Amino acid sequence: MTIEYFAFGIAYSFTSWIFGMVFNSILVKTEFYNRLSHLNFIESKTVNKYIGLFYFKWVVKNTFFKFFNQKIKIQNKNTSLADIRREMTIAEISHLIGFIFVAVIAVLKSISVNPVCGATIMLVNIIMNLYPALLQQENKRRLDKLIVNE
């Protein structure tokens, strides 16, 4: 049964990426979005290391995930760091919206099916939505240091 729940988690998470992008395109037109673009859940490099963000970053850089968002890539010296930061913000907030979407589903599945189902879906959600958002936040902090020095 847990493999079935794991498959549900993957399906919900992939679906949440689309939901996140659609909802983000609506949210970007609001004043509230500017405040969202400066979120920092975990500022400590030590905590990021402790939760394994370094390993997640390695997986993203060295697997097929590196092909997902080509707009977040420095192509040459003419690449605008501000544009890359804006694309990082879009990706981060889309993942956070997706995370909330799947978290609600996980709670509902915990109640309607069983807690193992909800926990398994939530575990997949953390890996596929929360970690990418945390990685974008870390990358934005690094990029902000370069933008200030430009």
Side-chain angles (χ1 to χ4, degrees), residues 24-126:
N24 189 39
S25 67
I26 296 166
L27 196 59
V28 76
K29 297 173 178 129
T30 66
E31 286 291 322
F32 179 64
Y33 194 81
N34 187 41
R35 284 184 277 171
L36 287 177
S37 68
H38 298 289
L39 288 176
N40 267 320
F41 294 137
I42 302 173
E43 294 183 25
S44 169
K45 287 183 182 182
T46 306
V47 174
N48 280 338
K49 184 178 178 182
Y50 180 73
I51 65 170
L53 200 59
F54 171 79
Y55 299 110
F56 183 79
K57 183 178 187 177
W58 184 90
V59 168
V60 170
K61 285 173 56 174
N62 296 297
T63 64
F64 65 93
F65 287 110
K66 68 182 170 190
F67 300 113
F68 274 22
N69 195 346
Q70 292 295 303
K71 292 179 181 178
I72 304 176
K73 196 175 207 178
I74 297 177
Q75 302 290 343
N76 54 43
K77 290 184 179 184
N78 296 331
T79 304
S80 168
L81 297 180
D83 289 343
I84 291 175
R85 189 188 192 289
R86 186 171 37 259
E87 291 298 327
M88 285 178 171
T89 301
I90 290 169
E92 171 198 357
I93 294 174
S94 294
H95 277 292
L96 289 174
I97 292 167
F99 178 77
I100 293 167
F101 176 74
V102 176
V104 169
I105 291 171
V107 168
L108 293 174
K109 289 292 183 180
S110 290
I111 295 167
S112 67
V113 179
N114 66 46
V116 173
C117 178
T120 306
I121 291 170
M122 196 61 191
L123 177 67
V124 174
N125 187 29
I126 288 169

Side-chain angles (χ1 to χ4, degrees), residues 134-150:
L134 293 174
L135 182 60
Q136 293 302 343
Q137 287 180 3
E138 180 184 339
N139 288 338
K140 284 190 326 183
R141 285 192 299 272
R142 291 176 36 227
L143 194 61
D144 285 344
K145 291 177 187 174
L146 294 174
I147 291 172
V148 170
N149 294 331
E150 259 189 341

Side-chain angles (χ1 to χ4, degrees), residues 8-18 98 102 121 124-126 128-129:
F8 284 145
I10 291 172
Y12 290 136
S13 292
F14 272 116
T15 304
S16 76
W17 291 353
I18 296 166
V102 176
I121 291 170
V124 174
N125 187 29
I126 288 169
M128 294 182 71
N129 277 318

